[in-house]
Each structure stands twice: as structure tokens, then as C-alpha cells.
Amino acid sequence: YWFELSIARKSGPSESIQRFIALSRDITERKQAEALSHHLAYFDALTQLPNRRMLLDRTEQAVGGARKSGQIGALLFVDLDNFKQINDARGHAVGDIMLKQVAQRLLGLQRPGDTVARFGGDEFVVLIEDITSPTHASEVAQELADALTQPFLLPAGKEVYLTVSIGLAGATDHRTGDSWLRDAD
């Protein structure tokens, strides 16, 4: 529970006696509404991953951090190939199930400090702020591809296979998060 407390001094008949009035209010509902508003602004409603807005903020921070520290960062742009055909053939409910499973697989490969986000539609982005070498980023991209090309289990025990395209860009030469995302795409 959240409470707001206001205290005011009240003058008494003599100055030697101190009196106070305290007023407390339960502001739990307001705090919950603020948290929900923040969540809706920065997270994807379907997958619960950070959304494009939060990702853009984190890429800007990562570019600035890379400039200051000299750390190598990488951005992996993951696009589910021909996903529209799955949505059209099997329905949006099945497509949503698959998008949630994609999100879970990406989160399962996430390292501490990385950001996995849903960029929109059938596009996801993995932001790696600290990698040991450009080769390491390629290895991470291959791990993602391997995980996402495994069969997806749908209701009624049906399996669906996906192919993915993954774009990779390093942070060292980028001036903005937008240019970094554009290059990875």
C-alpha cells in the first residue's frame, strides 16, 4: 500500500504546547495507475518485452556508453520470414502464440545487461552492450537463428517451422541509436 502523509503545526493556547494535525491518504490506486501507464508506454502488450520506444532509449544510452568507454556493442535485428503467411493461413491467434514463443526463446538466450525487445509486427531486436569481439556477436546471432528455427508447438499438437533473417551492426561507428538500428535492419 502507498500512503501520502501531510503534517501541519497548529497553534495552541500557549506556545509551550506543540500540536500537530496529520492527514494520511491511501494513494495505492494512483500508484498502480502510474505503473500501468508506464508499462503500457514502454512494453509490448502481447509479449511483455520492451517496445520500440524503450529500445530507442536504450540504444541511445548504449551508443553514448560505447563512445565514452570504448566498449563494443552489437545490435541484432531479427525478422521472422514470411510470418504474414502464417497469420493469414492459421489466424492471428496462432500468430500471437508464435510471437509469444519467439519472445520466450529470445529471453532464454538473453545475458544479463542485454535487451530483448519487440520492434513491431514480426521484428525483434537484441541489444548486446558488451561483447568480447565482433566474432562473438556473429556467434550470438547464430545461437538466435538456431533457437528460432526449432519447431514451434501450436494448439492441438501441431508444429510450425520458421526461418529468420538476422541483421547485425556494431555500435562503434554510430552517432545515434536510430542509425544503428537502420544499419542492423
Side-chain angles (χ1 to χ4, degrees):
Y1 293 96
W2 287 87
F3 288 93
E4 184 176 74
L5 179 64
S6 299
I7 300 176
R9 186 183 306 216
K10 182 178 180 192
S11 300
S14 74
E15 294 196 19
S16 63
I17 300 174
Q18 296 288 325
R19 294 183 182 185
F20 296 92
I21 296 175
L23 173 66
S24 70
R25 259 187 295 186
D26 182 352
I27 59 168
T28 304
E29 284 184 26
R30 184 176 80 194
K31 288 294 192 178
Q32 290 171 340
E34 289 171 3
L36 178 61
S37 176
H38 178 270
H39 188 79
L40 292 173
Y42 291 103
F43 291 87
D44 177 64
L46 179 66
T47 63
Q48 303 305 311
L49 293 175
N51 64 13
R52 178 187 303 233
R53 184 175 182 182
M54 181 179 277
L55 177 68
L56 290 172
D57 182 55
R58 291 199 179 162
T59 56
E60 290 295 336
Q61 290 176 12
V63 167
R67 258 189 249 123
K68 289 178 187 172
S69 68
Q71 286 181 323
I72 300 172
L75 198 64
L76 291 86
F77 200 97
V78 180
D79 184 25
L80 308 179
D81 298 333
N82 303 314
F83 188 75
K84 184 181 180 323
Q85 292 173 347
I86 293 170
N87 260 343
D88 291 345
R90 298 184 182 264
H92 290 280
V94 169
D96 288 351
I97 290 169
M98 291 186 68
L99 290 171
K100 289 177 188 178
Q101 289 182 25
V102 167
Q104 290 305 309
R105 289 184 190 187
L106 293 174
L107 285 172
L109 297 171
Q110 180 182 18
R111 301 173 320 150
D114 293 351
T115 299
V116 174
R118 182 171 178 211
F119 197 68
D122 62 351
E123 299 171 329
F124 294 82
V125 174
V126 179
L127 169 63
I128 305 170
E129 292 194 49
D130 183 24
I131 59 173
T132 54
S133 71
T135 307
H136 181 239
S138 296
E139 292 168 356
V140 171
Q142 186 60 55
E143 285 177 29
L144 296 177
D146 291 345
L148 295 176
T149 56
Q150 297 299 314
F152 288 85
L153 187 60
L154 300 179
K158 296 190 178 200
E159 291 183 347
V160 173
Y161 291 84
L162 287 177
T163 58
V164 297
S165 300
I166 301 177
L168 171 62
T172 55
D173 297 332
H174 294 88
R175 296 186 187 275
T176 67
D178 280 336
S179 67
W180 194 14
L181 278 163
R182 184 183 60 243
D183 289 352
D185 187 20

